[in-house]
Structures are given as C-alpha cells and as structure tokens.
C-alpha cells in the first residue's frame, strides 16, 4: 500500500495470496452479494462446500483456497494445485428443483466462464472442451467438477467447483501435466489480478446458475456454443469404458450430449466419455 500526503492510500500491488477483505471489496465492486470462506490450504474446496452444506449452511456461498492438498477431478482423478497462483473455487447451492433442469448445467457454466476469460484476457483462443474443460489450443487451462445430492429426482444440494491455472507456469507443473496444460500467465506472459477475476468468476457462476434455474440457459447455450466449442468439426476419439467411438464432433444436443457424426453419416449422441482430438 502506498501513502500519498493529502491524497490518501493506493494499492500499488495486489497480494499474491487471497486476501478476504480485498476479495469482498471486489465482489462489492461487481455488485455481487455472496458469503465467502477463504482458506490458505484445504483438502478440496468441493469437499469443504459439501461439509458446509451438510452442516446447514445456506446457499449460495463460495469456498476459495490458495492451495488444495487433495483437489479432486472428474472420474476420481486428482487435481493438481500449486501452493499459490491458481484459482480453486467451489460454489454451493440448494436448488430444490428437478434434475432435468440442470442437465446442461456444467456445459452452461463452462460457456459463461469461457466468455468471461476471453474478455478478461482479451484473447479469443480460450474454448470449452466437452464436457468439463476449458482449453487453449488443446492444452488444459481449467477443469470443472459439479457434484450434487439428489432425492426423488430433486436436486437438494449442488456444488460447482472450478480450478483455473492462472498465475502459475505450466513449466513448473508435474511432468505428467506440463505438456498438456497451460495457464493464463503462459498465454499473456504476465500475472493476472486474482482478486478481480475471482470476484467476476463468482458473479458469473451465480448469474449462470440463476439463468439455468429459470430455464433461460437451454436456448442461449446453443447460440453461444459453436463459437466457443474446441471440438467443433474436429475428428475425435471418445473412450467410453472399453468402447472407442470415432467420428466428427458436430456440437451438442439438447440434453448436453456430444453429437458425433461417423464416417457412414450416422449421428450418435455421446453422454459421457473421455474425448481426444485425433490426428487422422
Ligand atoms: C477435472 O478437470 O477433472 C475437474 C477439475 C476440477 C478442479 C476443481 S478445483 C476447485 C474444486 N475443488 C476440487 O477438489 N475440485 C474442483
């Protein structure tokens, strides 16, 4: 903080680690009311959100941590998090609505967040890779993990977690990840304002949630998808258990399935699986 006589104080540089009052000030700045729980380190922000919901915390709220010791990814995988520099955020909700209303929830969140990151970094190469990755030229920038508890087809609790590689450099990631990952710092060659972006991210997640619950997202997602789709018209391979599906990705269906056109022209809807872009 710099002080100037008769003029007051100025924040000359942003703290590298999360500072709760600064994040709250940014939330205020972007007109967003949301209770936040800030940690230096935690096992997983999704797990903490789950514990808070189990203990009766009202939604929505956000759990944020500089570091996660047991960050979780899709399909039971681990999510790597360095001690500082990346965004690890989970937002907890109590929707009490039918599951069908949330069938495209993660894809919709990814769409809105890809738009936010494009405008924040002034870079249009950020895309969404079905079903839960944000990528830059096939390298992973962010991953999303949505978890829910459901009872009689009603979604009681919902947790949306996102990890974004922000001010870390993929060169310093574990060997198994460094070739397939990227970060906003790698892209822009400068540190990004973590508090401002996190506040905008929380705002985006809350607005996207509201639109989804109100039923407006189902049309909008199709209007936006093609422009943001990392797989559009690419030849892909999808591994689904022991099955390998090959074809051209041609967007998503109303329920969020990936549409794959095979060589014989048949269109198949794929609900889940691991997609890679093929070289053939
Ligand atoms: C994936 O790509 O497989 C999903 C990764 C999701 C990571 C985020 S980081 C914040 C939240 N907490 C977790 O433990 N996981 C999600």
């Amino acid at each position: 903080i710099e002080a100037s006589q008769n003029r007051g104080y100025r924040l000359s540089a942003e703290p590298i680690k999360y500072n709760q009052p600064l994040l709250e000030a940014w939330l205020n700045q972007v007109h967003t009311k949301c209770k936040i729980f800030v940690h230096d380190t935690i096992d997983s922000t999704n797990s903490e959100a789950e514990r808070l919901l189990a203990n009766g915390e009202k939604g929505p709220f956000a759990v944020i941590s500089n570091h996660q010791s047991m960050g979780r990814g899709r399909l039971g995988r681990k999510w790597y998090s360095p001690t500082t520099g990346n965004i690890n955020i989970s937002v907890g909700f109590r929707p009490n609505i039918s599951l069908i209303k949330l069938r495209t929830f993660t894809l919709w969140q990814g769409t809105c967040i890809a738009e936010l990151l494009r405008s924040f970094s002034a870079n249009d190469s950020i895309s969404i890779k079905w079903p839960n990755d944000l990528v830059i030229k096939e390298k992973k920038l962010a991953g999303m993990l949505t978890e829910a508890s459901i009872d009689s087809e009603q979604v009681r609790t919902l947790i949306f977690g996102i990890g974004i590689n922000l001010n870390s450099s993929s060169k310093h990631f574990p060997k198994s990840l460094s070739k397939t990952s990227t970060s906003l710092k790698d892209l822009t060659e400068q540190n990004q304002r973590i508090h401002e972006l996190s506040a905008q991210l929380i705002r985006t997640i809350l607005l996207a949630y509201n639109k989804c619950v109100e039923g407006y997202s189902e049309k909008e997602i199709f209007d936006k998808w093609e422009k943001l789709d990392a797989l559009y018209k690419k030849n892909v391979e999808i591994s689904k258990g022991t099955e390998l599906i090959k074809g051209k990705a041609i967007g998503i269906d109303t329920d969020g399935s990936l549409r794959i056109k095979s060589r014989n022209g048949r269109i198949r809807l794929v609900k889940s699986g691991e997609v890679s872009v093929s070289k053939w």
Side-chain angles (χ1 to χ4, degrees):
I1 296 170
E2 280 172 3
S4 164
Q5 219 171 18
N6 301 327
R7 292 181 67 195
Y9 298 93
R10 187 173 82 95
L11 193 62
S12 60
E14 201 180 329
I16 300 165
K17 286 194 175 195
Y18 278 112
N19 173 288
Q20 179 144 357
L22 184 55
L23 185 53
E24 283 166 348
W26 268 112
L27 281 168
N28 213 12
Q29 181 78 14
V30 298
H31 311 291
T32 301
K33 282 200 173 72
C34 181
K35 186 167 179 184
I36 55 169
F37 297 87
V38 179
H39 297 266
D40 185 32
T41 182
I42 198 146
D43 52 352
S44 145
T45 53
N46 264 38
S47 303
E48 178 62 8
E50 199 179 321
R51 290 187 289 264
L52 286 164
L53 286 164
N55 288 334
E57 188 64 44
K58 285 204 186 89
F61 60 83
V63 182
I64 297 130
S65 188
N66 289 304
H67 174 250
Q68 298 181 111
S69 56
M70 289 201 298
R72 295 188 282 112
R74 210 164 63 103
L75 309 169
R77 295 193 189 118
K78 285 187 182 152
W79 176 257
Y80 167 72
S81 103
T83 48
T84 54
N86 281 359
I87 289 181
N88 307 295
I89 287 184
S90 300
V91 182
F93 303 96
R94 291 187 183 275
N96 284 321
I97 55 168
S98 70
L99 184 56
I100 197 158
K101 279 200 149 181
L102 294 168
R103 60 189 179 166
T104 53
F105 179 73
T106 311
L107 298 177
W108 170 241
Q109 285 288 355
T111 304
C112 297
I113 295 168
E115 284 189 327
L116 167 70
L117 294 178
R118 279 187 176 195
S119 85
F120 191 83
S121 63
N123 194 301
D124 277 356
S125 60
I126 297 165
S127 312
I128 176 161
K129 179 177 172 235
W130 185 93
N132 70 324
D133 291 353
L134 297 179
V135 296
I136 299 172
K137 296 192 185 114
E138 290 179 33
K139 291 193 172 185
K140 185 152 169 165
L141 172 72
M144 298 173 283
L145 180 67
T146 303
E147 297 177 303
S149 66
I150 298 153
D151 148 37
S152 337
E153 289 293 301
Q154 293 286 108
V155 181
R156 301 298 179 199
T157 64
L158 178 73
I159 299 162
F160 175 76
I162 180 161
I164 305 178
N165 301 330
L166 191 73
N167 292 332
S168 54
S169 163
S170 59
K171 275 191 294 212
H172 303 129
F173 282 17
K175 250 195 175 158
S176 58
L177 299 174
S178 62
K179 283 212 171 81
T180 53
S181 305
T182 188
S183 70
L184 270 199
K185 185 173 184 172
D186 288 348
L187 178 74
T188 59
E189 293 174 348
Q190 55 188 352
N191 276 332
Q192 298 296 327
R193 304 175 302 276
I194 195 166
H195 294 85
E196 181 184 349
L197 180 57
S198 299
Q200 289 193 16
L201 181 64
I202 293 169
R203 175 177 184 270
T204 301
I205 294 169
L206 296 182
L207 291 176
Y209 169 83
N210 288 340
K211 268 203 174 169
C212 190
V213 168
E214 287 159 11
Y216 297 122
S217 59
E218 295 230 332
K219 184 190 168 299
E220 263 191 54
I221 194 170
F222 292 104
D223 299 342
K224 295 175 188 280
W225 186 263
E226 201 175 300
K227 198 172 82 192
L228 298 164
D229 183 3
L231 302 173
Y232 195 63
K233 296 219 167 137
K234 297 224 167 107
N235 289 324
V236 295
E237 290 182 356
I238 303 153
S239 66
K240 224 182 153 216
T242 52
E243 198 187 358
L244 191 68
I245 303 162
K246 288 185 179 187
K248 192 177 281 226
I250 51 164
I252 52 168
D253 209 71
T254 39
D255 67 349
S257 309
L258 186 65
R259 301 179 77 227
I260 298 292
K261 192 172 186 179
S262 58
R263 278 195 174 159
N264 63 16
R266 211 181 116 229
I267 291 173
R268 186 163 171 182
L269 303 182
V270 180
K271 281 200 179 346
S272 62
E274 202 51 33
V275 189
S276 54
V277 175
S278 45
K279 306 285 172 247
W280 49 278

